[in-house]
Amino acid sequence: MLHRVEGIVIRSMDYGEGNAIITLCTENAGKVGVLVRGAKKVRSRHAALIQLFTVGEFVFFRNNGGLGTLNAGEITQSHHPLREDLVKAAYSSYACELLDRVLHDEETGSFWFRQLTACLNALEEDKEPGVIINIFEMKLLQAAGYAPELDTCVICGSQKPDDQLLISPRLGGVLCRSCKHQDPPALTISPRALKLLRLFAALDLTRLGNVDVKEGTRLELKKIMRSFMDVQLGLRLKSQNFLDQLDKYEI
């Protein structure tokens, strides 16, 4: 059966002699794997279609599910600037790999196509990459069923003033100081960072405006969200390792 979809290339790998297999996050068909024959050969008309972050219209044959075979394609947005810049490429790769690893094929759809589109556009527009990714991580935690509790203590259910709260990635949310013994390694969190986490939880990336977060708060948010991702999802991503290297050498 012939399928026509709008999609974003979130994974691309070599396959056989000169071929490639791409994974698309599509508008209406979830995640789709497509074989692109001859894509790695010199002068291939499909070479540009297999590049990460490429947005386009893809026409492919597929019978009874499984891998499709590309028949034709047209690029609508290349996102070339994301591949040219090392930092942008690292964050964009992380967003794509994270979506690919966290969500099953049938769980993706128009919502995630729009969220990823907004994420990549924001990164290309030079908005603060760390904050963009933190919002994207929050959306994925929610989708995976690990949305943090940010309003009441996860142990006793009390609602304390923000300056009296800690946050526990292991327990999945904020912790009042009376319950700190339930998780001694719980992280301190500033009222400003907590308010931003609540905003991230409620925000749709497609409605994101200008991002202006002080460096200290950005670092705090990064530490907290990394802890949640490590503890709740436990993924080991190649793109995350590369981001860690960027941080190490302050590139």
Side-chain angles (χ1 to χ4, degrees):
M1 182 180 296
L2 189 65
H3 300 264
R4 184 185 301 271
V5 301
E6 185 177 7
I8 305 169
V9 179
I10 60 173
R11 179 154 50 103
S12 181
M13 58 181 289
D14 295 348
Y15 180 76
E17 187 66 31
N19 306 319
I21 294 176
I22 57 175
T23 301
L24 304 173
C25 172
T26 72
E27 172 76 42
N28 297 309
K31 280 193 302 182
V32 177
V34 178
L35 171 65
V36 186
R37 297 190 184 279
K40 305 294 291 186
K41 294 182 179 180
V42 178
R43 297 180 182 177
S44 168
R45 62 193 177 96
H46 294 322
L49 280 170
I50 67 170
Q51 300 297 313
L52 278 178
F53 325 134
T54 296
V55 185
E57 188 174 81
F58 298 81
V59 181
F60 58 91
F61 289 99
R62 185 173 65 168
N63 293 320
N64 302 319
L67 195 66
T69 301
L70 188 74
N71 180 60
E74 182 178 351
I75 294 173
T76 55
Q77 190 173 5
S78 70
H79 279 309
H80 185 65
L82 295 180
R83 294 189 294 273
E84 283 188 322
D85 183 281
L86 184 62
V87 173
K88 291 180 181 179
Y91 279 102
S92 300
S93 297
Y94 175 65
C96 289
E97 188 180 7
L98 192 58
L99 185 148
D100 190 28
R101 291 284 299 277
V102 172
L103 299 181
H104 297 295
D105 293 359
E106 66 278 5
E107 291 176 322
T108 56
S110 60
F111 174 80
W112 282 106
F113 179 84
R114 294 195 305 271
Q115 295 302 301
L116 183 58
T117 295
C119 178
L120 296 178
N121 286 341
L123 290 170
E124 187 168 323
E125 292 164 6
D126 294 317
K127 294 181 179 178
E128 171 52 44
V131 173
I132 301 303
I133 290 300
N134 286 162
I135 299 171
F136 194 73
E137 289 172 330
M138 181 67 79
K139 299 294 108 182
L140 280 166
L141 282 173
Q142 292 171 330
Y146 297 106
E149 170 54 59
L150 300 172
D151 295 313
T152 61
C153 176
V154 292
I155 298 297
C156 68
S158 65
Q159 189 169 10
K160 301 287 187 179
D162 291 354
D163 60 359
Q164 296 180 25
L165 293 174
L166 306 163
I167 192 159
S168 170
R170 183 177 69 83
L171 296 176
V174 293
L175 197 65
C176 72
R177 296 189 180 275
S178 298
C179 295
K180 178 176 169 54
H181 63 281
Q182 298 284 350
D183 186 20
L187 304 171
T188 58
I189 182 169
S190 67
R192 175 61 177 164
L194 182 54
K195 288 178 181 178
L196 284 170
L197 286 181
R198 290 170 180 154
L199 177 63
F200 293 173
L203 187 65
D204 186 310
L205 267 169
T206 61
R207 300 175 63 86
L208 182 67
N210 293 326
V211 178
D212 184 16
V213 179
K214 293 181 179 179
E215 182 178 4
T217 306
R218 288 202 308 268
L219 294 174
E220 184 181 3
L221 290 169
K222 180 178 180 179
K223 179 182 178 181
I224 291 169
M225 289 304 299
R226 176 64 185 274
S227 295
F228 268 99
M229 300 302 287
D230 287 348
V231 172
Q232 296 294 340
L233 298 181
L235 298 175
R236 296 292 179 265
L237 305 181
K238 292 180 180 179
S239 53
Q240 179 63 70
N241 292 334
F242 187 66
L243 282 173
D244 291 342
Q245 293 300 312
L246 290 183
D247 289 341
K248 181 178 179 181
Y249 294 105
E250 297 183 351
I251 293 177

